[in-house]
Amino acid sequence: MDASQLDSFVHGHRVDLSTEKPATREYAQSLDKKDALAHFRDEFLIPSKADLRGDEGAKPNDPTDACVYLCGNSLGLQPKRLRGLLAEELDIWATRGVQGHFAHPKSRPWVSAVDSVAADMSKIVGALPSEVAVMGSLTENLHLLLASFYKPSAALGRTKIIIEAKAFPSDHYAVQSQVEWHGLAADEHMVLVQPAPGALTLTTAGICRTIDEHADTAAVLLLSGVQFYTGQLFDIKAITAHAQSKGLIVGWDLAHAVGNVPLELHEWGVDFATWCTYKYLCSSPGGMSGIFVHDRHHGRRHHLAGWWGHEPATRFQMNNNFTPAPGAAGYQLSNPSILALTALRASLSVYAETTMTAVRTKSEHITGYLEHLLHTLLTTHSSTAAPFRIITPADPRQRGAQLSLLFREGLMMPVFKKLESEGVVVDERKPDVIRVAPVPLYTRFEDVWVFVDVLRRAIEEVEAAEK
């Protein structure tokens, strides 16, 4: 498989392979040599196998013993530049105390530190700077946004929220509690979008059909940009336009989309969105969230208030007359954690040195390469029953960096444990799914090859033990 064949494969075209060369480690290494983003790997701390085992006296993050980390869909790796930035903020707190809010020797006064980070974030999601705020956590922000955008009206007959049947549980809980907060029964006013019988993924046509069926009674459509379980990327632009044409407000949970796929929230006309930043954006465990509110809603929609959402010039007058900050910033409640904000600043500074177009290009190639190797494993597997199947859409336009592997019943956990023992970090979703995500900024093609090689041996060992 040469470069043109690989490009053809990852864009959904069949490729006739007359050689086993693509299945070799040397071929993976040759792809790494051509990788335009390869230098970004040095920006991150890769856990070593000894680190993961907890070996005493091991050199932390030893690059000669690096693990294979394919779990950025759950938690991204730590940027190396974070430690220095955090040390600066801790030193300023130690030596300046409260004065760090206004007199910051690094020109990052805490009182306005969130503004520049939000501006950087707006570039990642394709928004105007005024449409983005960095604040809180994802589910907290989802509640704040629904409090502003979900206004069920019995008079108009619009009371329902449409959501995926297998939405991330926190989204489901949030929507259910919002419906019940308004005194409505969740089983009547939550519409769950189901896949077709026998399918695991949704289709744009199926989503739009559900919208049409509830067009007169639904108030809000809330979907995930990338589905957490299957890794399916939804057509945000088309679905948003269709739902809005039927009179619905459209919101998106972009937890698995931000930093993973290009977004153009302003151009696509999305009403609101929220996301976490600790996955593909590597902002630290439980790192700060972000929100998007389209500028057509600015100043026109009531929202819950807190003092950090007050217009900055008069915030400290404290006269109890709330004047909201312009745009999405008006949704802020409390002053942000500077340490959490610094972690996000560090990761965004890395992303600022490339583009989401470049990230997406490598993502399509490395995920396509992963898919190719997995198909090769399946076609050469000796057992009559396939050990797993890929449930993520094969069309690159319908997925990000993640592939989800659905294993034969009883096989997943023993295989997962063997992967762990070999220093391969992925994650599992019980009962039978392993999620694999080669994040473009720090994953090598060779890592993908090693994963599939270890996976093959793990499956063989587990199946041999079953006989």
Side-chain angles (χ1 to χ4, degrees):
M1 182 185 288
D2 59 23
S4 63
Q5 287 176 310
L6 179 59
D7 184 73
S8 182
F9 178 81
V10 301
H11 286 89
H13 305 296
R14 298 185 68 86
V15 175
D16 181 22
L17 299 175
S18 58
T19 171
E20 295 182 359
K21 182 180 177 182
T24 67
R25 188 168 194 158
E26 290 74 20
Y27 183 75
Q29 292 169 338
S30 74
L31 294 177
D32 285 323
K33 291 177 181 177
K34 301 172 186 176
D35 177 14
L37 300 184
H39 62 286
F40 282 105
R41 180 176 172 87
D42 291 335
E43 291 285 346
F44 295 90
L45 292 166
I46 315 292
S48 71
K49 295 174 186 177
D51 292 333
L52 298 177
R53 291 192 301 265
D55 292 357
E56 291 187 12
K59 176 185 176 183
N61 306 107
D62 183 354
T64 66
D65 185 42
C67 75
V68 172
Y69 194 88
L70 299 170
C71 205
N73 59 303
S74 185
L75 178 65
L77 292 177
Q78 183 183 137
K80 289 180 179 178
R81 59 186 70 176
L82 169 59
R83 193 178 297 269
L85 288 171
L86 279 177
E88 289 177 356
E89 298 301 341
L90 290 172
D91 287 345
I92 292 166
W93 180 20
T95 59
R96 300 293 182 98
V98 71
Q99 293 181 2
H101 282 93
F102 299 96
H104 194 290
K106 299 293 183 179
S107 300
R108 299 190 298 264
W110 299 334
V111 72
S112 59
V114 73
D115 298 339
S116 61
V117 178
D120 289 341
M121 180 69 77
S122 70
K123 300 171 186 175
I124 299 287
V125 300
L128 304 177
S130 64
E131 294 175 322
V132 171
V134 171
M135 51 188 275
S137 59
L138 194 158
T139 305
E140 171 190 351
N141 288 339
L142 184 55
H143 276 295
L144 291 172
L145 289 164
L146 286 173
S148 182
F149 284 91
Y150 176 51
K151 304 290 185 181
S153 170
L156 297 177
R158 289 187 177 272
T159 58
K160 298 176 181 178
I161 298 181
I162 301 175
I163 188 173
E164 303 147 71
K166 196 173 176 59
F168 189 73
S170 198
D171 287 10
H172 189 105
Y173 305 153
V175 168
Q176 180 174 339
S177 62
Q178 286 281 334
V179 168
E180 293 171 345
W181 181 261
H182 288 279
L184 303 172
D187 58 350
E188 297 177 13
H189 298 273
M190 286 179 67
V191 177
L192 306 183
V193 186
Q194 301 276 3
L200 290 173
T201 56
L202 301 172
T203 65
T204 299
I207 294 170
C208 291
R209 189 161 48 248
T210 301
I211 293 168
D212 292 343
E213 291 169 358
H214 299 273
D216 295 332
T217 57
V220 171
L221 171 71
L222 177 69
L223 296 175
S224 56
V226 173
Q227 218 282 336
F228 83 99
Y229 182 76
T230 66
Q232 179 182 10
L233 168 61
F234 294 118
D235 190 337
I236 298 174
K237 180 180 180 180
I239 294 169
T240 296
H242 185 78
Q244 289 174 340
S245 75
K246 304 298 181 180
L248 277 69
I249 289 288
V250 181
W252 293 89
D253 172 354
L254 301 175
H256 287 265
V258 166
N260 182 9
V261 296
L263 299 167
E264 295 293 343
L265 299 185
H266 176 80
E267 180 183 326
W268 296 341
V270 169
D271 291 297
F272 71 88
T274 185
W275 54 89
C276 58
T277 61
Y278 51 80
K279 301 179 185 296
Y280 296 93
L281 289 185
C282 308
S283 73
S284 77
M288 293 186 72
S289 175
I291 69 167
F292 167 88
V293 178
H294 200 282
D295 69 348
R296 66 174 172 272
H297 296 295
H298 295 177
R300 296 180 176 88
R301 190 167 285 274
H302 181 268
H303 56 79
L304 299 179
W307 83 302
W308 217 251
H310 194 285
E311 195 276 320
T314 57
R315 178 185 291 148
F316 286 90
Q317 291 182 5
M318 300 191 178
N319 57 15
N320 287 349
N321 294 318
F322 182 71
T323 303
Y331 282 72
Q332 297 174 106
L333 299 182
S334 301
N335 50 318
S337 162
I338 291 301
L339 300 185
L341 190 66
T342 299
L344 179 54
R345 183 191 300 278
S347 64
L348 290 180
S349 71
V350 177
Y351 269 83
E353 295 175 10
T354 184
T355 66
M356 281 308 303
T357 299
V359 169
R360 177 62 167 164
T361 297
K362 179 179 175 181
S363 180
E364 288 184 343
H365 282 81
I366 198 168
T367 307
Y369 179 63
L370 169 62
E371 181 186 27
H372 165 69
L373 293 181
L374 290 171
H375 282 310
T376 301
L377 185 158
L378 289 172
T379 57
T380 58
H381 185 64
S382 58
S383 175
T384 55
F388 63 86
R389 63 188 174 103
I390 302 172
I391 62 174
T392 308
D395 182 353
R397 295 169 298 182
Q398 296 183 52
R399 68 186 185 204
Q402 172 186 325
L403 294 184
S404 295
L405 314 184
L406 177 62
F407 282 77
R408 194 174 70 241
E409 184 177 356
L411 188 61
M412 185 274 285
M413 278 309 299
V415 168
F416 179 78
K417 290 178 180 178
K418 286 188 176 295
L419 290 170
E420 277 193 324
S421 70
E422 293 284 338
V424 175
V425 182
V426 290
D427 76 353
E428 50 82 11
R429 285 294 176 265
K430 292 182 175 64
D432 298 310
V433 166
I434 287 178
R435 303 186 302 175
V436 188
V439 175
L441 287 192
Y442 51 74
T443 306
R444 302 173 300 186
F445 287 85
E446 186 176 3
D447 294 327
V448 169
W449 185 93
V450 171
F451 160 70
V452 176
D453 184 60
V454 175
L455 176 64
R456 175 185 54 77
R457 290 188 279 110
I459 291 171
E460 290 173 352
E461 291 178 24
V462 173
E463 289 185 332
E466 291 177 342
K467 295 178 180 179

